[in-house]
Amino acid sequence: DIQMTQSPSAMSASVGDRVTITCRASQGISNHLAWFQQKPGKVPKRLIYASSSLQSGVPSRFSGSASGTEFTLTISSLQPEDFATYYCLQHNSYPYTFGQGTKLEIK
Amino acid sequence: QVQLQQWGAGLLKPSETLSLTCAVYNWSLSGYYWNWIRQPPGKGLEWIGQINHSGTTNYNPSLKSRVTISVDTSRNQFSLKLNSVTAADTAVYYCTTGWAYWGQGTLVTVSP
């Protein structure tokens, strides 16, 4: 199985901060990496697909990038509605695997 | 707009079979894979498996011995069965495709 090591597991930040969340794959996954946002009691929402493509309707403050097996989700200027849990997903190899999640809280 | 609507029993006893169905609206099952995901309370997401319109499946090895995913193209639906459930199978179960379209989720609780 491909392990997706996501970091940090939790963080606190302030409105307006720039935030970076990372997922490292245990082996190559091409660009088959998506990022999701999940709020309590809600369905996961895809933010980024193909490692760096922005989902339609998602604010441009969200961006994704990749370098080898390291993938990054960046929120350029945190807004109050961005406080949530974020997950990465690799869908390159079976079984598909998610990162452990990053809980982003208000400082 | 693609819509997924899922349903199934929400309370099971240990050793029973979990059964969920996901209906797809405004989209054909053809040409895509249709996935099941689960999330135990307070924990992360786990991929269970997937199926395409012709019935080709891929399962998570951690659940493969207990999981069956099937498709009914005439009804534009796909289903999940998980047998011999235990408390560890208590979770919210989601159906999804393309990772952009998700069902509303079904909380399945396994309790004696």
Side-chain angles (χ1 to χ4, degrees), chain A residues 36 38 42-44 46 87 89 91 94-96 98, chain B residues 39 43-45 47 50 58 94 98-100 102-103:
Chain A
F36 297 88
Q38 188 179 33
K42 300 297 186 182
V43 175
R46 189 175 70 170
Y87 295 94
L89 163 71
H91 53 98
Y94 299 117
Y96 296 158
F98 290 87
Chain B
Q39 184 172 37
K43 297 188 177 180
L45 299 161
W47 179 74
Q50 65 180 193
N58 295 291
Y94 297 100
W99 310 111
W102 294 67

Side-chain angles (χ1 to χ4, degrees), chain A residues 46-86:
Chain A
R46 189 175 70 170
L47 303 173
I48 301 288
Y49 63 96
S51 81
S52 61
S53 295
L54 188 67
Q55 177 72 32
S56 174
V58 173
S60 60
R61 63 181 179 272
F62 291 92
S63 64
S65 63
S67 177
T69 59
E70 185 169 295
F71 299 84
T72 300
L73 173 70
T74 299
I75 310 173
S76 60
S77 178
L78 268 176
Q79 298 302 300
E81 61 268 28
D82 300 337
F83 292 94
T85 300
Y86 293 84

Side-chain angles (χ1 to χ4, degrees), chain B residues 31-51:
Chain B
Y32 297 91
Y33 271 93
W34 304 84
N35 297 273
W36 289 99
I37 306 294
R38 71 179 183 178
Q39 184 172 37
K43 297 188 177 180
L45 299 161
E46 179 182 31
W47 179 74
I48 299 170
Q50 65 180 193
I51 192 166

Side-chain angles (χ1 to χ4, degrees), chain B residues 82-96:
Chain B
L82 179 67
N83 59 35
S84 304
V85 298
T86 70
D89 296 311
T90 294
V92 176
Y93 288 75
Y94 297 100
C95 55
T96 176

Side-chain angles (χ1 to χ4, degrees), chain B residues 32-71:
Chain B
Y32 297 91
Y33 271 93
W34 304 84
N35 297 273
W36 289 99
I37 306 294
R38 71 179 183 178
Q39 184 172 37
K43 297 188 177 180
L45 299 161
E46 179 182 31
W47 179 74
I48 299 170
Q50 65 180 193
I51 192 166
N52 68 6
H53 72 285
S54 61
T56 300
T57 54
N58 295 291
Y59 296 130
N60 193 322
S62 67
L63 297 167
K64 187 173 183 177
S65 64
R66 298 192 291 130
V67 171
T68 302
I69 298 176
S70 58
V71 64

Side-chain angles (χ1 to χ4, degrees), chain A residues 3-7 22-26 69-71 88:
Chain A
Q3 306 304 315
M4 299 301 296
T5 303
Q6 186 172 341
S7 60
T22 298
C23 269
R24 179 172 283 108
S26 59
T69 59
E70 185 169 295
F71 299 84
C88 64

